[in-house]
Amino acid sequence: MEKNTRQTLYHLIRYLPSVAVPSVLGLVAVAIYTRILSPDEYGIYILIFTTALFLEVFTLNWLNQSILRYYERYRIGDITSFFTTSLVFLGGISLAVAFVLFFSLHGSGNWFDRRLGEVIIYLPLVYLFQSGFKFVLVFLRAMRESVRYSLHMSVNAVVKLAAGLVFIFLFNYQAEGILLGLALASGAVFIWETVRMARRWQPALRHFSRALGNQMLRFGLPLLGLVLLNLVLSVSDRYLLQIFKDAAQVGIYA
């Protein structure tokens, strides 16, 4: 067997838990949540999670694609500048979007029905930590740290489900319990890995590179249209159900 083939199989096997564990626990989570929550509550969770996913893809997918593209070029000699520039983009964009969402959604009760208006205020938190979670996972992929990547994906799936059930059963939350569990699991991985990478690469604002940032933008932004079209095709039906029916129908459909 050729060396490249062996390496490919080696990494494939090490990445398998990152797909298998979240998939199995995802099925378990659906089975549990659809039995302890009403269709309306589950539909609200689906709508908010889908919106957070859409926002993350729309605002930051280009950055993740650029990290995968350029990491190998800058990992020797200029990795501090590369990590700093990527981190500045992540922090600036995600915090700005979360800030706008937070102040837009407070006092927006007239836009939604009562229950959806109560839960949608968790959207900025979910968006913020999901964006950070995807960011560190992309760096781990680029670094080929397959074991660490699989570990975080698996632990995230376990903690997300366990924390969601704790919030539901101990604190009497409903849809917001799942969202808080998701934010807690994603935020823990994001903070842990960001601190670890920061200790390794010592980012600082003086290392921010405008030229590198422009290069990343030129590469990543043209890919955004394709990704958005795929996402719109896969999730738009949920929004249409909410508009013409209600969140309960979204929950049943999901």
Side-chain angles (χ1 to χ4, degrees):
M1 186 180 296
E2 295 183 1
K3 180 179 179 181
N4 289 340
T5 304
R6 288 198 303 270
Q7 288 181 341
T8 300
L9 289 174
Y10 174 72
H11 285 291
L12 176 64
I13 293 170
R14 295 175 69 171
Y15 275 118
L16 279 177
S18 70
V19 177
V21 175
S23 297
V24 171
L25 288 181
L27 290 173
V28 172
V30 170
I32 294 174
Y33 289 144
T34 54
R35 283 163 174 76
I36 63 178
L37 298 179
S38 67
D40 187 63
E41 286 293 322
Y42 190 71
I44 288 172
Y45 154 68
I46 290 294
L47 286 170
I48 295 175
F49 174 74
T50 300
T51 303
L53 175 64
F54 183 85
L55 287 172
E56 188 270 326
V57 170
F58 180 73
T59 58
L60 290 166
N61 182 265
W62 67 269
L63 175 62
N64 294 337
Q65 295 296 326
S66 297
I67 291 169
L68 290 173
R69 168 67 178 82
Y70 291 113
Y71 174 80
E72 281 297 320
R73 179 180 297 183
Y74 293 101
R75 72 182 180 88
I76 299 177
D78 209 13
I79 186 61
T80 296
S81 179
F82 182 73
F83 181 66
T84 299
T85 303
S86 302
L87 194 60
V88 168
F89 274 129
L90 172 73
I93 294 172
S94 62
L95 288 174
V97 172
F99 181 84
V100 171
L101 285 173
F102 179 79
F103 285 99
S104 298
L105 294 174
H106 274 273
S108 61
N110 295 330
W111 300 0
F112 315 101
D113 62 55
R114 182 190 62 83
R115 182 58 184 151
L116 181 57
E118 291 174 353
V119 182
I120 203 169
I121 61 173
Y122 293 92
L123 175 59
L125 185 69
V126 175
Y127 162 79
L128 198 62
F129 285 129
Q130 272 291 102
S131 298
F133 178 65
K134 294 286 184 62
F135 175 81
V136 295
L137 287 182
V138 166
F139 259 100
L140 291 176
R141 280 181 59 194
M143 297 160 66
R144 297 189 181 90
E145 293 196 12
S146 49
V147 172
R148 200 172 191 89
Y149 180 95
S150 291
L151 176 64
H152 283 316
M153 286 289 289
S154 302
V155 170
N156 175 263
V158 173
V159 174
K160 180 168 60 178
L161 176 58
L165 293 176
V166 167
F167 282 118
I168 290 171
F169 286 113
L170 295 187
F171 298 97
N172 295 318
Y173 288 138
Q174 297 184 66
E176 59 265 62
I178 310 177
L179 296 170
L180 285 172
L182 190 154
L184 177 65
S186 300
V189 173
F190 167 59
I191 293 171
W192 178 274
E193 278 300 324
T194 301
V195 170
R196 186 181 75 94
M197 293 177 186
R199 287 175 176 171
R200 179 177 179 181
W201 293 324
Q202 301 294 312
L205 280 177
R206 67 178 183 274
H207 297 304
F208 177 82
S209 170
R210 182 176 296 180
L212 175 54
N214 289 334
Q215 185 181 46
M216 296 171 77
L217 283 166
R218 288 196 301 271
F219 174 79
L221 288 180
L223 300 175
L224 186 60
L226 178 62
V227 176
L228 280 177
L229 285 173
N230 286 330
L231 185 61
V232 168
L233 286 172
S234 64
V235 304
S236 58
D237 45 6
R238 300 176 182 183
Y239 292 109
L240 291 174
L241 279 172
Q242 169 63 25
I243 293 171
F244 292 107
K245 294 290 186 178
D246 52 35
Q249 297 302 314
V250 177
I252 294 170
Y253 177 77

